[in-house]
């Protein structure tokens, strides 16, 4: 079980160790205490299954990891969890956590299927044979929770070692499997779960050779680097924006841009501690593949451990209450020219092989096989929005900060508001649901500031629903509409505004709006954007063909333009 800690604020020192005091053993919920108090009986049942007896049925004796006494002093009312698998026990622990703790740290159980898929990708990238194999290198998870991601490699290692190398494998476990976890209760549970997977080794050695199974998980900060190099770094890291100290911001400056997201720090830390043949395998949000805040991380990863595979998780409900699109991704020190792209929906299906840039640019990664050709062609095109003579910005009105100034009727100092809901089917209209807040009362000097738009532009919705057929939803704010709406408007911040910054852009506004409305460019954006949100940054990264091709588009509309744009992003361009 891996815990996703959505940590909003690490405090003034930016130390993750401060989180350890958030959930001291004495403050755990009664449900969690009951689950943990049932673990000794669960261990006894597992040990009996492999033929052990006596002291080896006692988890305190058999596992060299200190039991949190405060949660085990009273166990008369412990539930019967003996029939649960390792994965199910970890899941029960997370489900037992207090709702406030889960919400504050975003703790979610990693589905068994995804843990298995990630290990399958990893073992292939690290060069293990198709069938089960003993591990001769270190596999580490630096935010391991109760060990879900470590269970598949541990299980494979034990099965491959039990008949011929049991004693050696048991003694060498600390050099093979390692975990780090900030929550002391989860760290202890991880040690018990991983030790239970090693029980066949313990049963296979002679009584004279039997020793307590060593602790494989330490309680500590997974962002500490510079210890043992690992061949494999597995992780489902904590994620969420964090406030860093000055020292920590300097420490991680090479992967930061603006806001720091905790999972990017964990990915960077893992790469630092890989050996020369190492592989980082992570289950993370897809936001790092495209967002501006991750551009330095992309460049660092692509330069120091090239992406080997990206597998998009199709099941959006794979995690309870996690709405972000997620992916399984592997990076390797042994660099490859192409990155495999897959979709995971119960099983992994190959989508494409693409080249990922080593620059800070977003990665073009097709989510579907039929988008592969378009994405590959787009990656070779030379121009971006700025080269066309345009800039893209986000609408300046943050409505909830100006709620008191939003009115249903116009006033002397008010301006009509353009909402995202006003953009539909390529046209701008007044969405009735927004009429109660249709006008913004301006403050002194705002009329001449950036808040008010008086010139034509192309408008693009910033956020769309996953089920929508289009990711790019656009409309023209033309002179006619501007005049009808009073000659000036205020654009709300769920709308992107594309406007010319040179006198003669390569595409006029009408043609640019028509091009963005084509199916082909929408498919490009779907391969570019790591979420349902389409930021100004990502629109600015959309590739366009050379100027001579753009010139041919100016006189085209409808089916003719669709065909011309498809040809420009096609295999025979």
């Amino acid at each position: 079980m891996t815990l996703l800690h959505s940590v909003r604020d690490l405090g003034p020192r930016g130390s993750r160790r401060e989180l350890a005091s958030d959930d001291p053993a004495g403050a755990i919920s009664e449900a969690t205490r009951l689950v943990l108090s049932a673990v000794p009986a669960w261990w006894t049942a597992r040990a009996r299954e492999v033929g052990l007896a006596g002291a080896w049925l006692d988890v305190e004796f058999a596992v060299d990891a200190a039991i949190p006494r405060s949660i085990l002093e009273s166990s008369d009312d412990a539930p019967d969890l003996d029939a649960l698998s390792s994965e199910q026990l970890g899941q029960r622990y997370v489900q037992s956590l207090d709702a406030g703790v889960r919400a504050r740290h975003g703790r979610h159980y990693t589905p068994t299927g995804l843990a298995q898929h990630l290990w399958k990708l990893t073992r292939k990238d690290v060069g293990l044979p198709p069938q089960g194999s003993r591990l001769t290198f270190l596999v580490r998870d630096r935010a391991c929770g109760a060990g879900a991601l470590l269970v598949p490699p541990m299980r494979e290692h034990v099965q491959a070692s039990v008949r011929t190398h049991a004693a050696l494998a048991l003694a060498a476990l600390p050099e093979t499997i390692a975990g780090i976890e900030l929550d002391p209760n989860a760290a202890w549970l991880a040690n018990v779960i991983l030790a239970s997977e090693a029980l066949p080794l313990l049963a296979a050695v002679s009584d004279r050779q039997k020793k307590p199974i060593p602790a494989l998980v330490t309680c500590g900060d997974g962002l500490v680097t510079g210890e043992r190099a690992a061949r494999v770094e597995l992780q489902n890291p904590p994620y969420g924006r964090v406030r860093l100290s000055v020292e920590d911001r300097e420490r991680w400056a090479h992967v930061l841009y603006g806001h720091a997201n905790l999972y990017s720090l964990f990915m960077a830390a893992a790469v630092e501690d890989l050996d020369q043949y190492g592989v980082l395998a992570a289950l993370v949000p897809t936001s790092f593949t495209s967002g501006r805040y991750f551009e330095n991380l992309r460049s660092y990863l692509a330069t120091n451990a090239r992406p080997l595979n990206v597998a998009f998780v199709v099941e959006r409900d794979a995690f309870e209450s996690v709405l972000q699109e997620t992916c399984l991704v592997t990076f390797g020190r042994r660099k490859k020219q192409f990155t495999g792209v897959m979709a995971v929906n119960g099983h992994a299906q190959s989508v494409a092989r693409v080249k990922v840039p080593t620059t800070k640019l977003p990665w073009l990664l097709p989510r579907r096989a039929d988008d592969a050709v378009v994405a590959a062609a787009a990656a070779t095109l030379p121009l971006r929005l700025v080269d066309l003579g345009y800039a893209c910005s986000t609408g300046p009105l943050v409505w909830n900060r100006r709620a008191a100034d939003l009115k249903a009727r116009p006033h002397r100092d008010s301006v009509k508001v353009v909402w995202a809901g006003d953009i539909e089917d390529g046209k701008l209209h007044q969405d009735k649901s927004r009429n109660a807040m249709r006008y913004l009362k301006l403050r002194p000097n705002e009329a001449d500031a950036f808040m008010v738009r008086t010139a034509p532009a192309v408008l693009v919705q910033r956020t769309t629903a996953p089920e929508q057929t289009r990711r790019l939803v656009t409309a023209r704010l033309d002179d006619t509409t501007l005049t009808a709406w009073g000659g000036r408007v205020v654009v709300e911040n769920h709308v992107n505004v594309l406007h010319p910054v040179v006198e003669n852009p390569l595409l006029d506004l009408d043609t640019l709006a028509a091009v963005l409305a084509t199916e082909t460019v929408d498919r490009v954006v779907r391969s570019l954007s790591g979420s349902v949100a389409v930021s100004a940054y990502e629109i600015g990264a959309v590739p366009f063909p050379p100027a001579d091709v753009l010139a041919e588009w100016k006189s085209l509309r409808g089916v003719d333009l669709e065909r011309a744009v498809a040809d420009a992003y096609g295999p025979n361009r």
Side-chain angles (χ1 to χ4, degrees):
M1 179 202 53
T2 295
L3 304 182
L4 298 181
H5 308 254
S6 183
V7 184
R8 299 301 176 191
D9 187 354
L10 293 190
R13 296 192 303 278
S15 169
R16 294 191 68 247
R17 288 188 177 85
E18 294 171 22
L19 290 177
S21 63
D22 229 21
D23 304 307
I28 63 174
S29 70
E30 178 64 10
T32 300
R33 186 190 68 79
L34 289 175
V35 169
L36 292 171
S37 66
V39 172
W42 179 85
W43 171 269
T44 299
R46 295 293 295 268
R48 280 199 176 114
E49 287 178 5
V50 297
L52 293 171
W56 302 108
L57 303 182
D58 181 355
V59 69
E60 186 173 7
F61 175 83
V63 182
D64 190 15
I67 294 181
R69 289 287 182 185
S70 58
I71 62 175
L72 296 174
E73 288 174 352
S74 175
S75 57
D76 293 341
D77 51 355
D80 182 1
L81 305 181
D82 295 359
L84 298 186
S85 67
S86 297
E87 294 89 347
Q88 290 168 336
L89 180 61
Q91 183 177 17
R92 184 65 68 88
Y93 172 75
V94 175
Q95 291 173 339
S96 73
L97 293 172
D98 180 84
V101 172
R102 295 187 68 180
R104 186 162 61 253
H105 300 315
R107 298 186 179 183
H108 302 273
Y109 177 72
T110 304
T112 301
L114 294 184
Q116 293 171 343
H117 278 305
L118 188 62
W119 175 241
K120 185 176 180 180
L121 284 176
T122 306
R123 64 185 319 286
K124 181 178 179 181
D125 288 337
V126 86
L128 291 176
Q131 303 303 319
S133 175
R134 287 196 312 121
L135 301 180
T136 58
F137 47 73
L138 178 63
V139 177
R140 177 169 53 216
D141 182 348
R142 56 183 62 241
C144 74
L149 294 184
L150 293 173
V151 166
M154 180 75 165
R155 192 171 285 161
E156 178 177 329
H157 178 63
V158 168
Q159 291 173 350
S161 305
V162 66
R163 293 186 179 180
T164 56
H165 303 88
L168 178 62
L170 193 61
L173 278 179
E175 306 303 318
T176 307
I177 300 289
I180 305 170
E181 171 53 43
L182 201 62
D183 173 4
N185 297 322
W188 174 72
L189 183 59
N191 273 311
V192 174
I193 286 175
L194 293 173
S196 75
E197 295 295 329
L199 280 170
L201 297 178
L202 185 64
V205 302
S206 66
D207 289 342
R208 182 176 57 84
Q209 291 178 300
K210 280 184 172 60
K211 294 181 179 179
I213 300 173
L216 304 179
V217 176
T218 58
C219 185
D221 187 348
L223 290 178
V224 174
T225 60
E227 298 184 4
R228 291 182 295 169
R231 178 63 51 84
V232 173
E233 289 270 0
L234 292 172
Q235 58 180 230
N236 183 348
Y239 68 92
R241 288 184 181 181
V242 291
R243 188 179 70 216
L244 300 178
S245 66
V246 173
E247 295 78 12
D248 284 337
R249 182 160 285 279
E250 291 177 355
R251 162 72 177 91
W252 300 106
H254 58 295
V255 294
L256 294 180
Y257 181 99
H259 296 297
N261 195 303
L262 198 53
Y263 84 81
S264 64
L265 307 187
F266 270 84
M267 294 176 77
V271 169
E272 286 186 16
D273 279 351
L274 289 176
D275 68 21
Q276 61 180 330
Y277 304 112
V279 170
L280 162 63
L283 171 55
V284 289
T286 61
S287 51
F288 85 94
T289 66
S290 60
R292 166 163 282 178
Y293 292 139
F294 300 96
E295 62 179 25
N296 288 332
L297 175 67
R298 282 195 299 275
S299 178
Y300 174 77
L301 292 173
T303 302
N304 293 276
R306 291 282 288 169
L308 306 176
N309 293 287
V310 180
F312 294 102
V313 180
V314 176
E315 313 102 304
R316 295 194 65 85
D317 58 350
F319 297 99
E320 291 181 34
S321 71
V322 175
L323 301 180
Q324 296 188 58
E325 185 181 13
T326 55
C327 65
L328 310 174
V329 59
T330 60
F331 300 84
R333 291 287 199 199
R334 290 190 285 188
K335 300 171 183 177
K336 293 183 179 180
Q337 187 175 13
F338 290 94
T339 299
V341 181
M342 289 164 279
V344 175
N345 190 2
H347 64 281
Q349 179 181 4
S350 178
V351 172
R353 295 174 70 243
V354 302
K355 284 187 177 181
V356 169
T358 57
T359 64
K360 298 177 180 181
L361 288 173
W363 296 348
L364 276 159
L365 302 170
R367 271 60 168 176
R368 306 184 317 184
D370 54 354
D371 288 339
V373 171
V374 171
T380 67
L381 297 181
L383 303 183
R384 299 296 183 270
L385 192 68
V386 66
D387 302 311
L388 274 59
Y390 283 87
C392 184
S393 59
T394 301
L397 174 62
V398 182
W399 75 267
N400 55 347
R401 297 179 184 175
R402 300 292 299 272
D405 296 327
L406 290 167
K407 310 294 182 181
R409 298 181 182 279
H411 293 73
R412 182 167 58 88
D413 296 322
S414 64
V415 177
K416 188 169 284 189
V417 178
V418 176
W419 297 90
D422 297 335
I423 302 171
E424 186 177 4
D425 296 330
K427 297 180 181 180
L428 197 61
H429 73 293
Q430 292 188 189
D431 183 8
K432 292 181 179 179
S433 67
R434 290 298 187 181
N435 282 346
M437 298 185 290
R438 180 54 62 185
Y439 294 91
L440 175 72
K441 183 179 179 181
L442 296 177
R443 295 171 180 173
N445 302 320
E446 273 191 330
D448 299 323
F450 74 100
M451 184 69 76
V452 177
R453 166 151 292 278
T454 58
V458 176
L459 306 179
V460 181
Q461 286 184 358
R462 282 185 60 207
T463 304
T464 55
E467 64 273 11
Q468 280 186 231
T469 57
R470 289 193 59 83
R471 190 64 68 232
L472 276 180
V473 180
T474 65
R476 273 279 281 115
L477 176 63
D478 54 24
D479 285 317
T480 301
T481 304
L482 265 173
T483 300
W485 286 31
R488 56 183 188 164
V489 295
V490 173
V491 181
E492 190 256 341
N493 80 328
H494 286 89
V495 178
N496 291 308
V497 181
L498 285 67
H499 54 94
V501 291
V502 297
E503 186 174 350
N504 294 303
L506 294 182
L507 288 178
D508 57 79
L509 278 166
D510 285 335
T511 304
L512 177 61
V515 169
L516 295 178
T518 62
E519 178 184 352
T520 298
V521 175
D522 188 72
R523 292 169 66 187
V524 172
V525 171
R526 284 181 175 273
S527 298
L528 190 69
S529 176
S531 70
V532 294
V534 182
S535 69
Y537 175 77
E538 288 160 339
I539 293 175
V542 173
F544 290 91
D548 59 333
V549 176
L550 297 178
E552 296 174 0
W553 292 354
K554 293 182 180 180
S555 61
L556 303 177
R557 290 296 184 272
V559 175
D560 291 336
L561 181 61
E562 283 277 3
R563 186 179 298 115
V565 174
D567 289 343
Y569 291 88
N572 301 317
R573 66 195 184 285

